[in-house]
Amino acid sequence: MEVPVAGPLWDSHFPGLMAWELERLRKRARAVEIDQPKLAKGLLVVRFEWPFGESFLALEASFPSSYPFLRPQVRLLSGREDWPEHHVSPVDGTVCLLGRDTAQWSPAYHLAKLLTDQLENALLGDGAEDPQAEPADVWWNGLAPLPDSYCLVDSDWKFDEESQGRLDFFYVLDECETPRIRGVIRRVLADDDTVLAEWSGPLPAELAQAKRRISVRWYRAGHVVLPHEPVVAQLRELRNQHLGGLGAPTSVGKNLSVRPFVLVHPIEKLGGGHVEGWIFGLEWGTPRAFGKKGRRADHGIKLSFLPILRAGSGDLHQRVPDAAPLRGKRVAVFGVGAIGAPIAIELARNGVAELRLVDHDIVEPGNSERWPLGAASWGRRKTEALAEHLRSQFPDVTIVPVHHQLGHSSEQGTDDSALALALVGADIVVDAMVSSGVTYFLWDRCMRQGASLVKVGATPTLGGGSVVLYVRGGGCPVCLQYARIDESVATPPGGGETPLGIQPPGCGERTFTGADYDLQELSLQSVRLVVDTLREGKQSGLVQTLALKNMDGERILPRWSEQALPQHIACCAKPDI
Ligand SMILES: [Zn+2]
């Protein structure tokens, strides 16, 4: 009697699929062999020889548990020296058969079809495969380096005429069994102390304040260095090959010494040229382990490496060219509540230079469901809590919190002193407050200054809302009222209604009941309008109107419309400028 073999779960979901796969594979492959121990654990791994040119290639295919929705992985079993330069992982020989995602894979395919269609292209590099630069950082960082650790570098650094020197590594350290080190290369020096490169980008707060420094020797390899297993042995070889003498360890903790070394190597860039690659090797152990002499010298000393993260100014904001108009710009946001706070966060995330945040409110627990930050901010001034969050997450943005209620004077300041902080030099202003008086006031001040004003607001029942762009020479807030009366501009649903509202305990009035996920529709459109206005320097006002509900108050898919907002013939509020 045949012993039943446990197969993959997918084969019981799609009975016969495994037999179908293997039958097709055997038609072209020879020496097909199933890994029985893995099959008993529910994984299908097949080794076989596949025709390639005049000969056969030894391959191994692993079917994921998510097969057939996700494709099998195929790797070369031949010696590393035979692997081609591209589309093969230097670590384990996995062949990149279908680009980086699975979009080109279809559950109707099978392994034999995948190999027939793609293997030659991938290995010979002359087919329709994605063009690809050798992703050396990806290979290295993927190989279990020190956890929760990193070394920051700047991709703009280039000093390929220099072959060795020292560098200043500033760091913070968590002394655990396996140390966690987060650091930045602040300066790269040549042997004669010429400064070759210097850090100029933003840093996380803990690193900006880091005082601890190690001077590390660096050497250049003339060619790209790709990792292979066992990577510790490879690192040791690189260290011995380039470092010459081992050098003295540095004591960095109560019972921890480290001995770092850095190898710089050229990484190919897509489209030609090279960028400096970094391998930051790190030996660590007790001072006693480093003190041992002779044959047991390496005993008790561990060796690993830091993941390399690219965080120079040029590395940070190159992936969203659409947001480029925000660079170097100063934006004032009046009202950092449910609509304004997400606007501020999005502007900071996308690389605005400076944000001025004006509000007088504090964060209440009951309002947290309409605010980006939760319980950790309860009781704090919204401006301060948001400023702290933004500074820690987006250290390249200057944040100016202005705690002030427009229309009130206090010991802390007047409207004029608040506006002096918020408005002067602002390139564009966002009004996310719920006060038409404030809008008139800000419109007047902005037009005098020549700054555009984006006014965003929801209707009381949140049937919709609008985002309005006011520019010099365009319509004003009074023009907008006339335009809505004569219907040259749309009125958002729910404009004239009084919401049923909920009056929470301790609250003086019925509160707005809209949801954050609806309000953010308005926040995000405001950000788009800010970016577009900065890019195009819009010459005329416009109104973007959002409908979230229909005339019967039923939810619809968010629907936007847009109309121009010229000066209205009935309006006399001409700007005095
Ligand atoms: Zn007007």
Side-chain angles (χ1 to χ4, degrees), residues 27-90:
K27 279 187 180 158
R28 284 202 69 188
R30 68 182 194 194
V32 176
E33 179 200 321
I34 296 171
D35 186 324
Q36 293 298 339
K38 291 220 168 103
L39 190 65
K41 289 179 182 162
L43 282 176
L44 177 60
V45 176
V46 192
R47 283 178 280 277
F48 53 94
E49 294 177 11
W50 186 261
F52 192 75
E54 301 293 298
S55 62
F56 280 79
L57 272 180
L59 299 176
E60 179 186 86
S62 305
F63 290 74
S65 305
S66 42
Y67 190 78
F69 302 103
L70 301 185
R71 64 186 166 179
Q73 299 286 335
V74 177
R75 68 186 193 98
L76 298 168
L77 294 178
S78 59
R80 178 182 313 281
E81 59 281 2
D82 296 333
W83 296 354
E85 274 184 34
H86 289 91
H87 301 306
V88 172
S89 160

Side-chain angles (χ1 to χ4, degrees), residues 475-479 567-568 571-574:
C476 74
V478 178
C479 295
Q567 290 186 356
H568 197 280
C571 177
C572 58
K574 300 283 182 287

